[in-house]
Protein backbone atom coordinates (compact mmCIF):
# COMPACT_ATOMS: atom_id res chain seq x y z
CA UNK A 1 0.00 0.00 0.00
CA UNK A 2 2.83 2.39 0.73
CA UNK A 3 3.66 2.79 -2.96
CA UNK A 4 0.10 2.75 -4.29
CA UNK A 5 -0.60 6.26 -5.59
CA UNK A 6 -4.03 5.35 -6.99
CA UNK A 7 -5.80 4.50 -3.72
CA UNK A 8 -8.30 7.22 -2.76
CA UNK A 9 -10.56 5.41 -0.26
CA UNK A 10 -9.41 3.06 2.50
CA UNK A 11 -12.00 1.36 4.71
CA UNK A 12 -10.51 -0.33 7.78
CA UNK A 13 -13.69 -0.17 9.85
CA UNK A 14 -14.58 -3.02 12.19
CA UNK A 15 -11.12 -4.60 12.25
CA UNK A 16 -10.37 -4.27 15.99
CA UNK A 17 -7.48 -1.93 15.19
CA UNK A 18 -5.63 -0.69 18.27
CA UNK A 19 -3.30 2.20 19.02
CA UNK A 20 -0.35 0.13 17.77
CA UNK A 21 -2.09 -0.31 14.41
CA UNK A 22 -2.58 3.44 14.10
CA UNK A 23 1.19 4.00 14.21
CA UNK A 24 1.52 1.99 10.99
CA UNK A 25 -1.50 3.68 9.41
CA UNK A 26 -0.05 7.09 10.29
CA UNK A 27 3.19 6.30 8.48
CA UNK A 28 1.12 5.42 5.44
CA UNK A 29 -0.84 8.69 5.69
CA UNK A 30 2.40 10.69 5.85
CA UNK A 31 3.76 9.06 2.68
CA UNK A 32 0.47 8.93 0.73
CA UNK A 33 -0.49 11.57 -1.81
CA UNK A 34 -3.76 10.21 -3.22
CA UNK A 35 -5.81 9.04 -0.21
CA UNK A 36 -8.84 11.29 0.32
CA UNK A 37 -11.05 9.19 2.64
CA UNK A 38 -10.05 6.98 5.57
CA UNK A 39 -12.62 4.98 7.53
CA UNK A 40 -11.40 3.79 10.94
CA UNK A 41 -14.85 3.46 12.53
CA UNK A 42 -15.73 0.66 14.97
CA UNK A 43 -12.21 -0.21 16.10
CA UNK A 44 -10.38 0.07 19.44
CA UNK A 45 -8.72 3.41 18.78
CA UNK A 46 -8.14 5.73 21.76
CA UNK A 47 -7.41 9.44 22.20
CA UNK A 48 -3.70 8.59 22.04
CA UNK A 49 -4.22 7.48 18.45
CA UNK A 50 -5.99 10.70 17.57
CA UNK A 51 -2.84 12.64 18.43
CA UNK A 52 -0.75 10.31 16.28
CA UNK A 53 -3.19 10.70 13.38
CA UNK A 54 -3.26 14.48 13.76
CA UNK A 55 0.53 14.64 13.56
CA UNK A 56 0.54 12.56 10.38
CA UNK A 57 -1.83 15.03 8.74
CA UNK A 58 0.89 17.69 8.82
CA UNK A 59 2.61 15.83 5.96
CA UNK A 60 -0.57 14.93 4.04
CA UNK A 61 -2.49 17.47 1.97
CA UNK A 62 -4.93 15.14 0.19
CA UNK A 63 -6.81 13.43 3.04
CA UNK A 64 -10.18 15.13 3.45
CA UNK A 65 -12.15 12.81 5.78
CA UNK A 66 -11.35 10.41 8.60
CA UNK A 67 -14.23 8.49 10.19
CA UNK A 68 -13.45 7.67 13.84
CA UNK A 69 -17.01 6.88 14.95
CA UNK A 70 -17.59 4.12 17.50
CA UNK A 71 -14.07 4.00 18.90
CA UNK A 72 -12.75 4.33 22.45
CA UNK A 73 -12.38 8.10 22.17
Amino acid sequence: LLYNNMLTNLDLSGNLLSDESVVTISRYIEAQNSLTNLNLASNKISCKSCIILANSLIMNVTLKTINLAHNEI
Side-chain angles (χ1 to χ4, degrees):
L1 285 177
L2 188 58
Y3 302 107
N4 183 335
N5 288 325
M6 301 300 286
L7 185 66
T8 58
N9 296 295
L10 182 59
D11 186 348
L12 296 172
S13 61
N15 282 293
L16 301 176
L17 299 177
S18 64
D19 291 333
E20 292 79 26
S21 303
V22 171
V23 171
T24 302
I25 294 166
S26 293
R27 288 186 194 133
Y28 174 73
I29 291 171
E30 288 175 1
Q32 223 338 293
N33 64 0
S34 62
L35 189 67
T36 58
N37 301 296
L38 176 61
N39 186 354
L40 297 174
S42 301
N43 283 292
K44 297 195 174 287
I45 296 172
S46 73
C47 290
K48 176 183 171 183
S49 290
C50 291
I51 295 168
I52 294 168
L53 285 169
N55 286 331
S56 70
L57 293 175
I58 294 169
M59 302 299 290
N60 183 299
V61 296
T62 58
L63 190 60
K64 302 299 181 203
T65 61
I66 302 177
N67 184 351
L68 294 169
H70 307 292
N71 278 286
E72 299 174 358
I73 301 172

